[in-house]
Amino acid sequence: MSSHGNGAAWITVNTSGRLSVPPEPRIGFIEGDGTGPDIWRATRIVLEGAVEKAYGTDRKIHWQELLAGEKALKETGEWLPEETLRGIERCVVAIKGPLTTPVGGGIRSLNVTLRQVLDLYACVRPVRYYAGMPSPMKHPERVNMVVFRENTEDVYAGIEWPAGSDEAIRIARFLKESFGVDLPEESAVGIKPMSRLRTERLVRRAVRYALDRGLPSVTLVHKGNIMKFTEGAFREWGYALASREFADRTVSESEVYETHGGKPPAGRIVVKDRIADAMFQQALLRPEEYHVLATPNLNGDYLSDALAAQVGGLGMAPGANIGDRCALFEATHGTAPKYAGLDKVNPGSLILSGVMLLQHIGWNEAADCVERALQRTVSDKVVTYDLARQMEGAREVKCSEFAHAVVERMD
């Protein structure tokens, strides 16, 4: 299924972590399960249309298929073949549709496994409003944030034991005998690790993102008022990293008021922090004051979904899992198996994840081309069923028809 032309070449990563992208890169794709093949076909149409519109014949993507999920199981007998993991690393950049979580033992989640095995430590979710999208909010246009959610620790470490198990009983006994902690009988037990190393690399990537794009602030979101040595440490380590590595480019919120009269110095981004529940309220009431959020795993999980709900739902919410060696861009919703093969569902999430992919490889002209055309399509009320039923006077189109409508509106 892969297409290799004479100009196809691999993307490489230099020692500073920057990508070197050839004019005709090989980029991996996993079409996904359920509605995955439908939304992938639509996304491919849009991405190829944008690259052609932006660069003519000077640039081209050579897609390389990688197998995972039900298709992989059918063809190889494995849900996630080793060859696929090596393929993502070789491509450096890949995109995927939603994958089924296998029922039963073994792999807890293919998505989580991909993130952990490939050390894709930053789950990046940009959330912004496209005019005309149905929203429950009075001013959804004020939402324009990027969530950097730590992908390998906190609850995603998955260290837990069921109530009544030998392990849970042993840990409860150890806590009581060693630390005087008395748990109720039949307690399930989980461990929530957070490390300096993994916090710092997440915050570093968030700060660099804000600097590269000229955004005004990075906010550390935590529950450090209660969990002082995990979530509180996330806050402290984040501030320390910013002041140590970006001293001349950042300023803390407290410094702004104590030293600069409440006004940030020109050219510096403000690093601030908010307690998680307060941040949730701020995301609803004053979203325009926040630009990049850096969060431990669980905080970022609910915040990114809540933000997406304000601007039209997960159908228009892109996402990426990014590490130092490779990046995997993905739809943020599930497989919706009852709509599989019906050419019906909204491909917006995967198309916008493709926009993130284009930005990641530095093809910003093509990325902008997609975003402008997508905005025009939504403004013209040419949308799939999930949006059409919420928009007066909309023209409902199929998944593939939506892709062609976006391409038609490219300038």
Side-chain angles (χ1 to χ4, degrees):
M1 290 277 293
S2 59
S3 59
H4 299 309
N6 293 331
W10 300 108
I11 295 171
T12 56
V13 186
N14 68 21
T15 51
S16 65
R18 299 286 180 180
L19 301 188
S20 176
V21 182
E24 298 192 22
R26 289 181 177 138
I27 292 178
F29 76 91
I30 297 168
E31 65 177 19
D33 297 324
T35 55
D38 286 348
I39 63 172
W40 163 245
R41 281 190 292 271
T43 297
R44 182 169 178 167
I45 288 166
V46 171
L47 298 184
E48 289 179 352
V51 170
E52 185 179 346
K53 180 66 73 172
Y55 310 114
T57 57
D58 293 340
R59 297 185 192 180
K60 178 183 177 183
I61 293 173
H62 294 267
W63 300 107
Q64 177 147 339
E65 181 163 27
L66 306 167
L67 297 177
E70 291 168 352
K71 189 172 185 178
L73 187 67
K74 188 176 176 183
E75 295 191 19
T76 71
E78 297 179 88
W79 286 97
L80 185 58
E82 183 69 21
E83 187 181 339
T84 295
L85 296 170
R86 301 291 75 82
I88 295 170
E89 289 183 320
R90 188 73 184 92
C91 289
V92 178
V93 174
I95 187 168
K96 63 175 276 294
L99 291 172
T100 298
T101 296
V103 176
I107 295 175
R108 293 170 69 128
S109 158
L110 293 174
N111 292 320
V112 173
T113 302
L114 282 163
R115 293 167 191 169
Q116 293 186 333
V117 172
L118 296 170
D119 199 22
L120 304 174
Y121 58 83
C123 179
V124 184
R125 298 269 299 268
V127 188
R128 58 163 286 197
Y129 181 67
Y130 290 89
M133 287 289 292
S135 168
M137 309 301 290
K138 286 183 178 177
H139 293 288
E141 73 282 353
R142 293 176 182 170
V143 176
N144 192 353
M145 284 182 231
V146 185
V147 180
F148 278 73
R149 167 190 171 209
E150 208 289 322
N151 235 351
T152 65
E153 299 193 295
D154 192 13
V155 296
Y156 254 32
I159 306 170
E160 60 171 353
W161 297 274
S165 66
D166 288 345
E167 296 89 347
I169 291 167
R170 284 166 57 195
I171 288 172
R173 188 183 304 131
F174 169 74
L175 289 172
K176 184 171 185 178
E177 292 172 357
S178 300
F179 302 108
V181 174
D182 207 353
L183 299 180
E185 280 190 40
E186 291 285 302
S187 287
V189 179
I191 294 178
K192 174 193 176 86
M194 288 193 187
S195 67
R196 182 192 294 267
L197 169 72
R198 294 185 177 190
T199 296
E200 286 185 344
R201 65 184 185 176
L202 184 277
V203 175
R204 180 183 296 116
R205 191 168 280 279
V207 173
R208 280 184 181 156
Y209 183 95
L211 288 170
D212 287 347
R213 287 160 177 78
L215 299 173
S217 72
V218 173
T219 304
L220 307 167
V221 183
H222 61 92
K223 192 64 179 166
N225 57 326
I226 303 298
M227 306 196 77
K228 299 183 187 302
F229 308 119
T230 49
E231 305 252 347
F234 180 91
R235 172 188 182 275
E236 298 304 321
W237 291 330
Y239 273 125
L241 179 282
S243 65
R244 185 174 70 247
E245 295 190 12
F246 303 96
D248 58 338
R249 307 286 304 280
T250 64
V251 61
S252 72
E253 188 175 39
S254 59
E255 288 176 304
V256 169
Y257 290 99
E258 292 166 9
T259 311
H260 301 286
K263 189 172 181 184
R268 293 201 189 191
I269 63 169
V270 179
V271 179
K272 51 193 176 183
D273 75 279
R274 295 291 181 268
I275 293 169
D277 43 318
M279 183 63 230
F280 208 124
Q281 178 172 267
Q282 293 284 291
L284 291 167
L285 299 179
R286 303 166 78 169
E288 67 277 7
E289 295 180 14
Y290 299 89
H291 309 92
V292 175
L293 307 182
T295 79
N297 185 271
L298 183 59
N299 296 336
D301 201 2
Y302 63 70
L303 269 170
S304 56
D305 275 21
L307 287 167
Q310 294 185 55
V311 300
L314 289 177
M316 293 292 282
N321 297 292
I322 302 176
D324 293 330
R325 299 195 312 274
C326 52
L328 185 59
F329 299 82
E330 65 177 0
T332 56
H333 54 72
T335 58
K338 72 176 183 177
Y339 295 120
L342 300 183
D343 194 22
K344 184 178 177 73
V345 299
N346 184 352
S349 175
L350 196 61
I351 289 171
L352 290 170
S353 298
V355 169
M356 293 180 70
L357 184 156
L358 293 170
Q359 292 168 338
H360 187 71
I361 65 173
W363 291 14
N364 293 315
E365 298 84 0
D368 293 345
C369 183
V370 176
E371 284 203 297
R372 287 194 302 269
L374 187 74
Q375 175 62 81
R376 290 187 187 114
T377 310
V378 172
S379 294
D380 290 345
K381 298 188 176 183
V382 179
V383 290
T384 48
Y385 82 100
D386 56 313
L387 299 176
R389 63 190 177 186
Q390 302 176 68
M391 295 166 68
E392 198 173 322
R395 176 159 72 89
E396 182 180 325
V397 293
K398 295 178 179 179
C399 177
S400 58
E401 291 170 339
F402 181 79
H404 288 295
V406 172
V407 173
E408 285 167 11
R409 286 163 176 77
M410 288 179 180
D411 55 19

